[in-house]
Amino acid sequence: MNDRRQQDWDPRAEEVLSDQLAAYDRMRQRCPVAFSDYLQWSLFRHEDVMRVLDDHETFSNAASRHLSVPNAMDPPDHTYFRRIIEPYFATEPMAAFEPRCRAIAADVVDRLPEKGIVDAMTVLGQDFALEIQCAFMGWPESLHEPLRAWVQRQQAATLAGDREALGELALEFDGVIRQQLATRREPGEQAPDDVTTRLMNESVEGRPLSDEEIVSIMRNWTVGELGTISASIGILIGYLARHPELQERLRDDAGLLPAAIDEILRLDAPLMSNRRVATCPVEIGGRHLEAGERLTILWGAANRDEAVFEDPEVFRLDRNPDDNLLYGAGIHVCPGAPLARMELLHFMAALFEKTRWLSGTDGHPGTRARYPAGGYASLPVEVSC
């Protein structure tokens, strides 16, 4: 990379971090493919993002310094591992998990007070994300509180930009996963028949998965879900608290919820970015990239592109769902999208059933998360049950 490139913007500037989506909207107009030392090449337009997603030969996913299965892989390795992973999110296993998903959603919202102000991120988003993910993986309830403490420490380290602490936290989480592997190996054939045990017994191209590969897959499934599901819940609650007419409409017609959830999360991204690396010299958006230079796909910017979404800041249920990049696109589209959609649907249905109304609090609009997180760090909401 040419380290003498001119900086087009500063992703770490306070005006950017304090309102990421507004800053990205401005950049999409001013400099849609922008360079910075921090993110290298950032893409803000839907068209450019789709080009990168569709051309995985020129724009490689192998942009991580650590093993990331299959997120940071290209074909053919990516293809081999997707064949293992996709069946876990197919129609039959999702139907089998659905009753448990409903029960956990109902249990989380049942803990709400009859009336009062709660932090939606803590008592709803984080609780549900922790409990639903442990249940899906087959992990014990005794992990809920240790994982909650881990999430809080990770958020603090992310906000502080403490790379050393983040590295230590990553190793700590890998240790949690390895402990789950050990507790299943000890009883042998008597190990519980759950997602974790089944994944341990998978093979790829005629050989068993290595522990490193198993840990990587489980890390992606758990750490990613803990962040994005809780962020999604905060975004949904925050939006509906600010838009009472829509809240009333969805309470009256639950059939609109699936499309409404995707549209709200198009407006306000729970996952802010992903990375790619150029495999050869290439032009994109009028800018020249050298081989080896890195790109940052900004989902929150692409999903608000006025060239694709008419009146992009307006909630509409008649948009083409194929344009929404909430779960990505192309060969790297999120395999866990069916699980995430089911979880969010049942959570919102349970929340509407338990509560009569959700409203914002005067003078306390919530604290927005800062890059690389999306959504809210905290969100006070008044609940009436």
Side-chain angles (χ1 to χ4, degrees), residues 41-266:
W41 294 101
S42 296
L43 307 183
F44 298 91
R45 289 191 304 205
H46 193 281
E47 175 187 1
D48 296 327
V49 168
M50 284 302 302
R51 179 184 166 192
V52 168
L53 298 180
D54 287 338
D55 186 357
H56 53 84
E57 293 185 357
T58 303
F59 303 101
S60 168
N61 250 55
S64 175
R65 295 178 178 85
H66 309 286
L67 179 67
S68 181
V69 182
N71 303 38
M73 288 180 164
D74 296 318
D77 290 340
H78 173 266
T79 308
Y80 302 149
F81 283 97
R82 284 286 295 223
R83 287 179 189 150
I84 296 171
I85 288 169
E86 288 176 350
Y88 286 86
F89 304 100
T91 302
E92 186 175 340
M94 291 298 94
F97 186 61
E98 188 170 15
R100 186 80 186 278
C101 183
R102 287 179 186 270
I104 291 172
D107 187 52
V108 169
V109 300
D110 278 346
R111 299 175 210 153
L112 287 171
E114 288 299 313
K115 188 173 181 61
I117 296 174
V118 300
D119 181 359
M121 291 305 302
T122 302
V123 304
L124 293 173
Q126 289 180 11
D127 277 12
F128 181 68
L130 282 167
E131 295 179 29
I132 201 71
Q133 196 57 29
C134 283
F136 178 71
M137 299 299 294
W139 293 2
E141 294 181 3
S142 59
L143 277 178
H144 291 173
E145 291 311 311
L147 285 180
R148 186 194 311 280
W150 183 89
V151 168
Q152 291 170 349
R153 284 183 286 128
Q154 187 203 42
Q155 289 173 340
T158 299
L159 285 173
D162 190 337
R163 292 182 176 272
E164 183 178 351
L166 287 170
E168 293 172 355
L169 286 163
L171 290 175
E172 181 181 333
F173 198 91
D174 285 0
V176 171
I177 298 174
R178 290 181 186 279
Q179 180 59 37
Q180 291 305 306
L181 303 187
T183 59
R184 284 161 174 77
R185 287 193 172 119
E186 187 175 347
E189 294 182 358
Q190 302 304 313
D193 181 19
D194 56 30
V195 165
T196 297
T197 302
R198 290 196 291 275
L199 188 60
M200 291 171 62
N201 293 319
E202 295 282 6
S203 60
V204 59
E205 292 300 287
R207 64 164 179 82
L209 293 180
S210 68
D211 274 11
E212 188 180 14
E213 290 164 343
I214 296 169
V215 168
S216 177
I217 293 170
M218 291 187 182
R219 184 197 310 122
N220 287 332
W221 286 3
T222 49
V223 175
E225 286 296 290
L226 290 176
T228 55
I229 291 297
S230 60
S232 295
I233 287 173
I235 290 167
L236 293 168
I237 293 173
Y239 192 87
L240 295 175
R242 296 193 309 274
H243 296 83
E245 291 148 0
L246 177 60
Q247 183 182 161
E248 185 173 9
R249 183 183 178 192
L250 296 180
R251 286 179 180 276
D252 290 341
D253 187 353
L256 298 176
L257 265 175
I261 290 170
D262 277 11
E263 172 67 354
I264 292 171
L265 298 180
R266 176 195 68 79

Side-chain angles (χ1 to χ4, degrees), residues 272-315:
M272 215 37 100
S273 67
N274 278 125
R275 294 175 296 173
R276 298 290 191 274
V277 60
T279 62
C280 59
V282 62
E283 297 260 345
I284 184 166
R287 308 300 294 269
H288 179 81
L289 281 65
E290 298 290 350
E293 291 197 280
R294 294 173 178 267
L295 303 89
T296 302
I297 293 171
L298 290 168
W299 304 111
N303 257 349
R304 294 163 58 88
D305 189 341
E306 48 284 308
V308 175
F309 304 98
E310 184 181 7
D311 298 323
E313 293 191 54
V314 175
F315 173 93

